[in-house]
Amino acid sequence: MAVETLARPARMKDIPREGEDGLFRQSWYPLCLAAEVPAGKVLGVDFLDGRVVVFRGEDGTVRVMSAFCPHVGADLSVGRVVGNNVQCAFHHWEYDGSGQCVKTGIGDPPPRNACLFVFPSAERFGMIWAFNGETPLFDLPALPFPDDQLLTNAYKMDGELHSDPWVFAANTPDMQHLKVVHKMQFEVEDPHDLVRWHDFGMEFTYLAVHQGGVPMQNHAGILGTSLFYRWGQYGDYWRAGVTGFGLPRAGWHQVYSFQAVLKGPAGAQNLQDVINVSRRTVGEDRDILNTVHYRQGLLTRSDKTLGRFFTYLRKYPRAHPSAPFIT
């Protein structure tokens, strides 16, 4: 007797993975907490498909460069900061803020091409960020209140998650996910028509009720493919959050979170409540993100915004100018 088999559902074109064809999306990625890099510290960090160093010079500025000395390949993370330069431990070659070798330990003239790749970097939201590219395509978000009016906290979630950063970012345009996993009840059935798209992200402002019956008025969005932000009224106080998804290697990401509330008599408690909600939210997603084989399959009408985000991901610019330097 012939056995009838079911045909595998047709799929749309796959979404490129990070590292596919040797390329990575051109986005801002958090590398570490700012508190991990005091003055004079050199920190080695795995990034993309290689390694970088993060260091803070005596001028207080943090710089991000490729980690391997072009002399014979020593890892600069075991070196030290000299003024605003980073010095290799092996032969004491020094590199300035432009990445150029300006000095050798024994006094030989540095080779003209002895240089490091310098990543565009920023210190913001209690994190050190690096942009995958030679020039940033967009800026980090600006909060609606100045820093001196806010109580803030930045932290790194425990453990890496086994999926690309864009996979976590895709939760924001996924209305089904927000409703069934995070228990959000939108004022409208699905706020697809409230979403505004631009070249490097999407954002929308909406009313909803969160878990525990907490009313919320949120402005939320994605920048690039590795940064989520939101702010607005949560119950009886205002809150803000910026979450960055680091990229230590293809197929993995590390979650960094910044939370803020307005200063006031209840500020400290409000901030702790926001941190707890943030950790709970990541906890609700952790097992999903660690096991998902993410791809565009069969969608429903509730996936209108998610479907457009898939198109956004496919068209998003990818590059790897640091490839010759960081591996």
Side-chain angles (χ1 to χ4, degrees):
M1 178 182 296
V3 178
E4 185 176 347
T5 58
L6 295 177
R8 185 177 181 180
R11 285 195 278 133
M12 299 291 288
K13 181 181 177 183
D14 282 341
I15 300 165
R17 308 303 189 198
E18 297 299 351
E20 188 173 318
D21 301 322
L23 303 175
F24 296 84
R25 286 178 176 82
Q26 293 193 268
S27 190
W28 285 101
Y29 298 94
L31 297 177
C32 60
L33 296 174
E36 295 181 82
V37 195
K41 172 78 172 180
V42 184
L43 181 69
V45 181
D46 291 336
F47 182 44
L48 306 177
D49 57 356
R51 190 164 173 81
V52 301
V53 287
V54 183
F55 67 96
R56 191 185 300 274
E58 64 182 14
D59 61 359
T61 300
V62 172
R63 298 169 175 87
V64 178
M65 302 183 187
S66 51
F68 300 112
C69 180
H71 181 207
V72 293
D75 188 337
L76 295 171
S77 69
V78 299
R80 67 189 185 103
V81 177
V82 178
N84 295 317
N85 299 342
V86 62
Q87 183 188 82
C88 179
F90 205 177
H91 301 97
H92 289 195
W93 288 26
E94 284 186 26
Y95 299 87
D96 66 11
S98 71
Q100 190 67 41
C101 183
V102 294
K103 183 180 180 181
T104 64
I106 62 170
D108 287 350
R112 182 177 301 175
N113 294 329
C115 62
L116 307 174
F117 185 90
V118 180
F119 288 84
S121 59
E123 182 172 355
R124 188 74 177 103
F125 308 119
M127 309 170 205
I128 306 301
W129 303 77
F131 189 86
N132 174 35
E134 295 179 297
T135 303
L137 301 178
F138 58 91
D139 295 327
L140 294 172
L143 300 181
F145 290 96
D147 292 351
D148 61 6
Q149 294 184 26
L150 301 174
L151 289 177
T152 65
N153 179 268
Y155 54 93
K156 178 168 61 176
M157 298 289 185
D158 294 335
E160 297 173 359
L161 297 176
H162 196 2
S163 50
D164 284 332
W166 62 263
V167 174
F168 207 156
N171 283 357
T172 296
D174 188 345
M175 306 305 172
Q176 290 199 50
H177 178 80
L178 296 178
K179 291 194 289 188
V180 303
V181 175
H182 301 307
K183 312 302 182 188
M184 289 177 55
Q185 301 173 39
F186 293 110
E187 182 186 47
V188 296
E189 182 179 1
D190 280 320
H192 301 301
D193 294 338
L194 301 179
V195 178
R196 297 181 297 277
W197 295 87
H198 52 86
D199 289 344
F200 300 108
M202 50 81 70
E203 60 185 358
F204 60 121
T205 301
Y206 60 88
L207 297 174
V209 176
H210 205 197
Q211 296 181 34
V214 180
M216 54 194 296
Q217 181 177 7
N218 240 15
H219 178 76
I222 295 294
L223 275 176
T225 58
S226 55
L227 189 154
F228 163 76
Y229 62 92
R230 58 108 177 93
W231 53 74
Q233 198 71 14
Y234 190 75
D236 59 359
Y237 60 90
W238 183 91
R239 64 167 186 173
V242 176
T243 301
F245 311 123
L247 181 50
R249 63 193 63 82
W252 293 84
H253 71 275
Q254 174 74 59
V255 178
Y256 291 82
S257 182
F258 164 88
Q259 303 297 325
V261 298
L262 288 170
K263 292 178 178 178
Q269 183 58 56
N270 292 341
L271 181 60
Q272 188 57 55
D273 289 346
V274 170
I275 293 170
N276 292 342
V277 171
S278 173
R279 291 187 179 276
R280 181 189 72 194
T281 300
V282 176
E284 292 165 349
D285 287 330
R286 183 178 294 275
D287 289 346
I288 300 168
L289 295 168
N290 271 329
T291 57
V292 66
H293 288 196
Y294 207 108
R295 54 184 179 256
Q296 180 172 345
L298 305 176
L299 305 184
T300 72
R301 65 179 183 179
S302 296
D303 295 316
K304 178 180 177 181
T305 304
L306 181 61
R308 181 160 177 180
F309 191 71
F310 291 155
T311 300
Y312 167 82
L313 288 170
R314 291 191 188 95
K315 295 180 178 179
Y316 196 88
R318 300 186 301 139
H320 196 0
S322 65
F325 299 86
I326 68 172
T327 58

